Amino acid sequence: MNITRVSDFFSINCLYKTRRKLSDIRLVDFPDVFQPKASDHGWYNLWQEKEYFKAKKSSNKYFTMILPPPNITGTLHLGHALTTTIQDVIARWHRMKGDPVVWIPGLDHAGIATQTIVEKYLNKTKGIKRDDISKEEFLSYVWDWNHEKGSRINSQLKELGASLDWSKEHFTMSKKHSVAVTEAFVILNERNMLYREKDMINWSPSLRSGISDIEVEYLRLCEKTDIEVPGYKKKVTFGQIVEVAYKLKYSDEEIIIATTRPETICGDVAIAVNPNHTLYSRYIGQHVKHPLKDIFIPVIADDSVSLDFGTGAMKVTPAHDPVDYRIAKKHNLEVVNVIGEDGFMTEAAKPFQGLPRFLARDKIISELSQRGFLKTIKDHEMMVPRCTRTGDVIEYILREQWFLKCESMAKRAMEAVRNGSLKIDPSFHEDVWFSWLGNIRDWCVSRQLWWGHRIPAYRCNFENNSTWLAARSEEEALLLAKKLYGNTVQVEQDSDVLDTWFSSALLPFSSIGWPSQAVDFHKCYPLSLMVTGHDILFFWIARMTMLGLELTEQLPFKEVLLHGILCDTQGKKMSKSCGNVISPESVINGISLNNLNSLVKDSHNLGILSSSEVKRTISVNGKMFPNGILDCGADALRFTLCSHNIKNSIIFFDVDQCRTNKFFCNKILQACRYTLLMTNDDPIEIPKELSSLDRWILSRLSFMVDSVNEALTQKLFNKATSAIKQFIHYEFCDYFLEGTKVGFQSERSDLILAHRFALVKSLEVSLKILAPFTPFLSDEFYIKMARKLPDFSNYNSLMEASYPTYNELQEYRDLNLEERMKNVIEVILKIRSLLTGLSKKLSFEVHIVTDSPKEFDVYSEHINVINAVSRTQNIKIIPSSNYVRMKNSIYDEATNTCSIFLVVEDEEVLEDLKNKLRKRRLRLEKKVQSAMEIKSV
């Protein structure tokens, strides 16, 4: 039926509304608007009840992944949601492809982070400090914290739809995992890969523990800056360099040194100068007077001293600087410790003993000034090392610790990447891999905490001697010690605990049974894929690789997918210190600004956030979410996270994109409603002939399915979601559905059958394709549609379904038709653009003018689609040879051979339209220019 009059167009809408009224019973399960909470309700429980997350017994190897275990320090943030969503999409896709999937959940005890936050909690809520209670009492509080936070984290994972096999859940402080940790330590010790030695480590005085490099962040200062430091009522000044004179023995001459750490001067044991220094090299071998002690210290030559830093001479303080310590070892210098593990000055720092280090700094500067040795104090660029957990300024101290030899393990890990056995995706991270592992230092695995795996090493005391051995228990240690040193020997376990990263590095094999190696161990190990953020490539991925190769003689995984760091729209990493952390449930369920700020205050009351962090977070919330956050649902959040190029180093997250994708979910709902209105309960026969519109949408469906599978194979989630959205939102909903309204209004049974077939087929496949990305919505809509459409398969959930493949749909692919329809779409877009802002009540016409006979036929064939999608009936298709342009018109080119003319009778309206088009074109040109400038940079 060819409709050319506006009255006919309105009759279609009237018919559509009438049909809706008559068919309301078919829409009883479908709301008018997408409601995320209604879609999410109950599905996760069903998935668990049906045991979809458990891999069926298989003779084949399982597709295995492990979820990077969240720390039990609090709740999940959007960074966790990103990792979880990526892995869940992969897991669901593989299940629907028929692969047996084992995806392992777990929690990390996070030694330093958890101990720190529980200490803050106890101090804030109960007025208790760690030193006020026994170790056992403190650990009981930590276990209570663990149970509460662990339960909350698991609830969050379920709310996200994470299809984890909960029967395989692990905890890195469980007895089972403790057995693996102990076994690993003992084996490494037996292989002579562990040693105990005094060395320079990162030390947090407020924690009174050594910390790993990843727990240290460097604050860059360009000038004098006051910083909050735990334990100090007033802020402490940094960003200054002090010049001090050291007078030569038997001379009035002096050497000027520059230091940013005058509090360590009492520990100076030498002055080091570069042998090529034009001024100071002549003093090498002489001695200078210590400015604060009645002693003389030597001037030594060392080519590691920079000629450009400070004055070119440097004080050597071996106990408090890694570089100085290496120089001291090289020159056999004394090591004098003047700052204790508690951050207070030691006896060696008299007369400043007992003072906090930064208060001592001020007094030392004052004393130097009084003695005439202080030359200048100037602003100076510097990097201040701070503990990420406490905000404390790191000290470098010498302490006896356990170290793991890493050089040989690092070589094997590098070779695995070099020979292709281990794939790192994206590959540009390989440079970091080789750089870190090629310059690796031995790993300090000792931590001075109460919470963690106690090191399974025992001091053996016998006949005024002492040595160490590793054992699986105190009984085993004593038995072994007696064999070696006699029956009078006594054993005492090391009070330190192991670095959390040590226990976490075992997870690929410890979480699936090692060291016992259960029945399915070899089917699950190595893992098929490891997914995590690129920021822990060295601290976790590399260490898992090294220990996996060493302890199992296999790589722990075949492939590593590294995603970027989630940042806000300004490019700032989401963190407590920035105040821009967003929880997944705030996006899923929505939250008002008042409630958002109330959560912040609650965290402060529990000791989790400091006063400054609360102030900063409330300020950021007001700027980012002045109206709160709209409830978007888990599906919209998941789809948004996947729509980013996760392989970029930085991922910019904008909550508004979630809101947009909620509208996309609503678009899918409306497509379901339309499908039900245009069909009945009868099975749909395969049509003998399809219209070009139906053939086109099925061809595009085939292309979309192929594109999504290819994108998922390459882990390009943004390309997968883009292909899905392009098809469902634009091609299916905007063009196809609108284009079929005329056919459904006609009396042509063959056309109605063809439309119904293409409509149902496209929607059925689309909901399956969406299932890994939007599992709640897909199950909710698909199962409800299946109750009324026999052509939908009868599943309890799409987790029982097979994922669509190109092979199933390739018969519909028609490239020539797609090319023709591409021109139709271009025409529609140009018409829409020209009509923007034009009232439909005004008198106007649209002329499609082409000099191509083929295009003329295509536009004529699809005039109903053009009318419907353009939402106007005043359209004429005219060969260019017969066209005379009217004065009161504006035009735009649709293709090389086709132009669109908009004819408007009212000259004033026409002029207004021209102005709007000019402004729009200028805006677009500016955007293009801006994009080009950014690209060139």
Side-chain angles (χ1 to χ4, degrees):
M1 179 177 179
N2 189 17
I3 297 177
T4 55
R5 300 189 309 276
V6 174
S7 59
D8 291 328
F9 178 72
F10 286 118
S11 71
I12 295 173
N13 286 337
C14 291
L15 178 71
Y16 179 52
K17 290 175 182 176
T18 303
R19 183 169 289 181
R20 284 183 62 179
K21 202 168 186 180
L22 294 172
S23 305
D24 278 348
I25 191 168
R26 287 177 64 76
L27 299 178
V28 67
D29 291 333
F30 286 85
D32 290 335
V33 179
F34 176 65
Q35 298 169 350
K37 290 178 183 177
S39 296
D40 298 358
H41 180 70
W43 282 109
Y44 201 92
N45 290 336
L46 174 76
W47 297 332
Q48 282 194 279
E49 288 169 9
K50 296 289 185 180
E51 297 189 341
Y52 293 137
F53 304 160
K54 292 184 179 180
K56 295 178 180 178
K57 290 292 180 181
S58 172
S59 58
N60 300 324
K61 186 170 173 58
Y62 297 121
F63 181 88
T64 321
M65 294 187 296
I66 184 170
L67 180 73
N71 295 345
I72 57 162
T73 48
T75 56
L76 300 184
H77 52 68
L78 283 178
H80 296 111
L82 174 65
T83 308
T84 302
T85 300
I86 291 168
Q87 286 196 310
D88 191 49
V89 169
I90 293 169
R92 289 174 180 273
W93 179 56
H94 274 279
R95 286 193 193 97
M96 291 182 75
K97 290 203 307 174
D99 300 327
V101 174
V102 175
W103 185 24
I104 304 167
L107 296 169
D108 197 310
H109 69 279
I112 290 174
T114 302
Q115 180 157 318
T116 301
I117 209 159
V118 172
E119 283 188 44
K120 288 180 179 179
Y121 163 73
L122 291 175
N123 191 29
K124 185 75 175 181
T125 61
K126 302 179 186 296
I128 296 174
K129 293 184 178 180
R130 181 175 33 140
D131 294 340
D132 297 336
I133 56 179
S134 69
K135 179 179 179 179
E136 288 69 27
E137 286 177 297
F138 179 78
L139 290 179
S140 70
Y141 282 117
V142 179
W143 278 108
D144 288 343
W145 177 276
N146 162 58
H147 294 315
E148 178 188 342
K149 298 303 176 184
S151 175
R152 179 74 192 100
I153 287 169
N154 287 349
S155 295
Q156 287 182 292
L157 290 169
K158 292 175 181 179
E159 196 168 13
L160 274 168
S163 55
L164 293 150
D165 185 348
W166 294 103
S167 67
K168 290 182 165 48
E169 184 180 6
H170 63 84
F171 178 47
T172 57
M173 273 297 287
S174 67
K175 290 181 180 179
K176 180 181 175 182
H177 192 68
S178 184
V179 169
V181 170
T182 300
E183 187 68 18
F185 191 91
V186 171
I187 291 173
L188 292 169
N189 187 65
E190 289 172 350
R191 295 178 184 177
N192 198 32
M193 296 187 69
L194 284 163
Y195 63 93
R196 188 174 175 86
E197 183 177 281
K198 181 177 281 192
D199 201 354
M200 188 72 63
I201 61 170
N202 303 316
W203 185 266
S204 170
S206 62
L207 281 173
R208 298 193 192 179
S209 174
I211 63 175
S212 68
D213 292 341
I214 199 173
E215 273 107 21
V216 180
E217 63 180 1
Y218 291 87
L219 177 64
R220 186 184 186 89
L221 303 178
C222 297
E223 59 185 5
K224 177 182 176 182
T225 307
D226 294 335
I227 298 172
E228 287 185 5
V229 179
Y232 292 82
K233 293 180 180 179
K234 294 182 179 179
K235 291 184 177 181
V236 179
T237 300
F238 292 88
Q240 291 184 310
I241 194 165
V242 178
E243 290 189 348
V244 181
Y246 287 68
K247 289 190 176 295
L248 269 86
K249 190 176 184 180
Y250 309 126
S251 171
D252 290 334
E253 293 182 277
E254 58 189 21
I255 297 176
I256 309 297
I257 65 95
T259 179
T260 59
R261 303 202 62 209
E263 65 272 20
T264 64
I265 284 178
C266 291
D268 291 354
V269 296
I271 298 296
V273 300
N274 191 296
N276 298 316
H277 198 286
T278 55
L279 178 62
Y280 292 143
S281 60
R282 60 196 173 99
Y283 299 130
I284 294 169
Q286 298 189 43
H287 287 74
V288 294
K289 176 76 170 60
H290 194 293
L292 295 176
K293 293 183 176 181
D294 192 20
I295 60 172
F296 291 91
I297 58 177
V299 180
I300 62 173
D302 198 289
D303 54 15
S304 68
V305 178
S306 172
L307 291 169
D308 301 323
F309 177 79
T311 65
M314 63 176 269
K315 68 190 197 70
V316 181
T317 319
H320 302 288
D321 186 274
V323 174
D324 293 15
Y325 181 60
R326 288 197 291 274
I327 292 174
K329 287 178 73 176
K330 181 179 175 182
H331 295 273
N332 296 315
L333 298 173
E334 183 185 6
V335 177
V336 179
N337 181 27
V338 294
I339 301 177
E341 294 179 355
D342 57 1
F344 286 76
M345 306 305 286
T346 67
E347 186 179 1
K350 287 180 178 178
F352 310 103
Q353 180 184 1
L355 286 174
R357 54 189 164 146
F358 297 125
L359 294 184
R361 173 196 288 178
D362 296 336
K363 291 190 176 294
I364 286 171
I365 291 174
S366 178
E367 184 70 17
L368 289 170
S369 178
Q370 290 178 22
R371 294 190 181 196
F373 297 131
L374 180 67
K375 294 299 182 181
T376 61
I377 301 176
K378 298 182 290 189
D379 285 7
H380 182 71
E381 185 176 322
M382 65 181 296
M383 304 289 282
V384 180
R386 306 182 75 191
C387 174
T388 57
R389 305 301 180 185
T390 63
D392 199 5
V393 176
I394 295 302
E395 284 295 331
Y396 300 104
I397 71 166
L398 281 168
R399 204 176 195 280
E400 196 172 274
Q401 305 276 268
W402 286 98
F403 290 87
L404 176 61
K405 298 176 184 177
C406 292
E407 186 177 355
S408 63
M409 293 192 296
K411 286 180 179 177
R412 294 181 72 183
M414 286 192 288
E415 181 57 29
V417 172
R418 199 173 280 120
N419 65 28
S421 303
L422 175 61
K423 177 185 177 183
I424 296 178
D425 185 15
S427 60
F428 64 77
H429 290 297
E430 289 180 10
D431 291 340
V432 178
W433 181 265
F434 291 122
S435 176
W436 273 339
L437 291 176
N439 298 282
I440 199 166
R441 295 167 56 193
D442 288 348
W443 177 8
C444 174
V445 295
S446 300
R447 297 292 178 267
Q448 293 66 48
L449 302 171
W450 282 356
W451 175 242
H453 291 282
R454 196 167 170 187
I455 294 177
Y458 299 80
R459 183 190 292 274
C460 304
N461 300 308
F462 60 98
E463 299 176 359
N464 297 322
N465 289 316
S466 177
T467 189
W468 289 87
L469 59 82
R472 294 169 180 83
S473 66
E474 186 173 339
E475 293 76 17
E476 183 181 279
L478 184 59
L479 186 64
L480 182 58
K482 284 181 177 180
K483 286 183 180 179
L484 293 170
Y485 310 115
N487 290 333
T488 59
V489 71
Q490 293 181 323
V491 297
E492 180 185 3
Q493 187 174 0
D494 194 337
S495 60
D496 287 353
V497 300
L498 283 163
D499 179 11
T500 301
W501 292 106
F502 183 88
S503 65
S504 297
L506 309 178
L507 285 174
F509 42 97
S510 66
S511 63
I512 50 178
W514 189 89
S516 65
Q517 297 200 11
V519 177
D520 283 344
F521 181 84
H522 295 291
K523 290 183 182 179
C524 293
Y525 186 80
L527 303 180
S528 306
L529 178 67
M530 186 69 235
V531 181
T532 191
H534 69 74
D535 55 329
I536 54 174
L537 174 62
F538 176 69
F539 299 101
W540 194 36
I541 299 295
R543 286 169 172 172
M544 284 190 285
T545 303
M546 290 192 296
L547 286 179
L549 286 167
E550 182 63 35
L551 296 171
T552 72
E553 290 299 322
Q554 294 185 76
L555 283 165
F557 27 70
K558 301 171 185 177
E559 183 179 356
V560 178
L561 175 62
L562 298 170
H563 63 70
I565 305 305
L566 206 66
C567 299
D568 62 21
T569 52
Q570 306 303 312
K572 292 181 180 178
K573 180 180 178 181
M574 291 188 177
S575 65
K576 288 192 299 180
S577 59
C578 289
N580 58 355
V581 174
I582 307 171
S583 67
E585 57 266 37
S586 293
V587 180
I588 292 171
N589 302 316
I591 190 169
S592 68
L593 179 59
N594 285 338
N595 288 341
L596 205 56
N597 290 336
S598 293
L599 291 176
V600 176
K601 293 170 185 175
D602 289 344
S603 292
H604 174 63
N605 293 335
L606 291 173
I608 296 172
L609 292 179
S610 66
S611 298
S612 60
E613 287 170 336
V614 168
K615 185 177 179 181
R616 194 175 300 115
T617 304
I618 289 176
S619 173
V620 171
N621 284 345
K623 293 174 183 176
M624 291 176 65
F625 315 115
N627 301 312
I629 301 175
L630 178 76
D631 65 316
C632 297
D635 292 310
L637 173 59
R638 289 166 61 106
F639 200 85
T640 302
L641 291 170
C642 289
S643 66
H644 296 90
N645 184 351
I646 65 153
K647 296 184 184 182
N648 286 341
S649 295
I650 293 176
I651 298 170
F652 298 93
F653 181 84
D654 188 349
V655 170
D656 285 343
Q657 291 179 327
C658 290
R659 188 178 295 114
T660 299
N661 282 320
K662 181 186 177 182
F663 297 148
F664 173 53
C665 293
N666 185 65
K667 197 90 171 176
I668 300 166
L669 167 67
Q670 301 310 324
C672 291
R673 289 171 61 87
Y674 179 81
T675 301
L676 289 176
L677 287 170
M678 297 301 152
T679 57
N680 53 40
D681 294 341
D682 299 329
I684 299 171
E685 299 175 11
I686 298 177
K688 293 178 181 178
E689 186 176 349
L690 294 167
S691 72
S692 60
L693 180 63
D694 300 313
R695 286 188 287 112
W696 170 75
I697 198 62
L698 291 174
S699 180
R700 296 304 296 164
L701 176 70
S702 173
F703 174 74
M704 181 270 285
V705 168
D706 190 33
S707 299
V708 172
N709 278 291
E710 179 61 26
L712 288 175
T713 300
Q714 298 179 19
K715 315 295 189 302
L716 297 172
F717 302 93
N718 60 319
K719 288 193 174 182
T721 55
S722 178
I724 290 171
K725 203 166 187 179
Q726 172 65 27
F727 176 77
I728 297 177
H729 192 298
Y730 302 108
E731 295 168 350
F732 182 63
C733 292
D734 283 1
Y735 299 118
F736 179 71
L737 296 193
E738 291 296 328
T740 59
K741 288 178 181 178
V742 177
F744 279 124
Q745 193 264 352
S746 74
E747 297 178 359
R748 287 181 52 190
S749 58
D750 59 334
L751 182 59
I752 291 173
L753 174 62
H755 282 350
R756 283 179 174 174
F757 176 80
L759 181 64
V760 172
K761 185 73 173 178
S762 297
L763 183 60
E764 198 259 353
V765 172
S766 293
L767 290 174
K768 286 181 179 178
I769 277 285
L770 276 166
F773 300 92
T774 58
F776 296 104
L777 173 150
S778 297
D779 266 11
E780 178 75 8
F781 291 173
Y782 191 98
I783 305 310
K784 284 182 176 179
M785 293 292 289
R787 292 174 189 153
K788 296 164 185 177
L789 290 173
D791 296 277
F792 272 56
S793 299
N794 189 19
Y795 303 119
N796 291 303
S797 163
L798 284 176
M799 293 195 75
E800 298 175 357
S802 297
Y803 205 66
T805 65
Y806 179 70
N807 288 340
E808 300 166 8
L809 299 162
Q810 63 179 334
E811 64 179 289
Y812 298 118
R813 196 74 203 278
D814 188 334
L815 294 175
N816 291 329
L817 175 60
E818 286 188 32
E819 193 61 35
R820 294 197 301 275
M821 282 300 294
K822 188 177 179 182
N823 290 338
V824 173
I825 291 170
E826 285 295 329
V827 164
I828 292 170
L829 291 174
K830 293 299 180 183
I831 293 173
R832 280 179 168 181
S833 178
L834 287 173
L835 292 177
T836 301
L838 184 67
S839 172
K840 297 295 190 291
K841 295 178 182 178
L842 293 171
S843 178
F844 66 89
E845 282 186 357
V846 175
H847 299 162
I848 301 172
V849 181
T850 177
D851 59 10
S852 167
K854 286 184 179 180
E855 282 192 31
F856 181 88
D857 292 340
V858 169
Y859 302 144
S860 299
E861 181 185 1
H862 295 95
I863 185 61
N864 288 341
V865 177
I866 296 171
N867 286 335
V869 181
S870 300
R871 297 185 182 279
T872 182
Q873 300 301 306
N874 306 340
I875 298 176
K876 294 179 180 178
I877 304 168
I878 307 169
S880 57
S881 58
N882 297 342
Y883 191 67
V884 177
R885 180 177 177 180
M886 302 176 72
K887 290 182 180 180
N888 54 331
S889 66
I890 54 176
Y891 88 102
D892 201 352
E893 290 183 356
T895 70
N896 293 332
T897 56
C898 177
S899 297
I900 310 299
F901 291 85
L902 175 61
V903 181
V904 182
E905 289 185 5
D906 191 317
E907 291 187 6
E908 191 175 326
V909 171
L910 183 66
E911 193 58 35
D912 185 48
L913 271 176
K914 287 180 180 178
N915 289 331
K916 286 179 180 178
L917 287 170
R918 287 191 199 101
K919 289 178 182 178
R920 195 189 313 165
R921 184 163 290 157
L922 283 172
R923 284 197 301 269
L924 287 172
E925 287 174 355
K926 285 181 180 179
K927 283 184 179 180
V928 171
Q929 182 63 32
S930 177
M932 292 294 288
E933 289 172 359
I934 292 171
K935 190 174 181 180
S936 63
V937 171

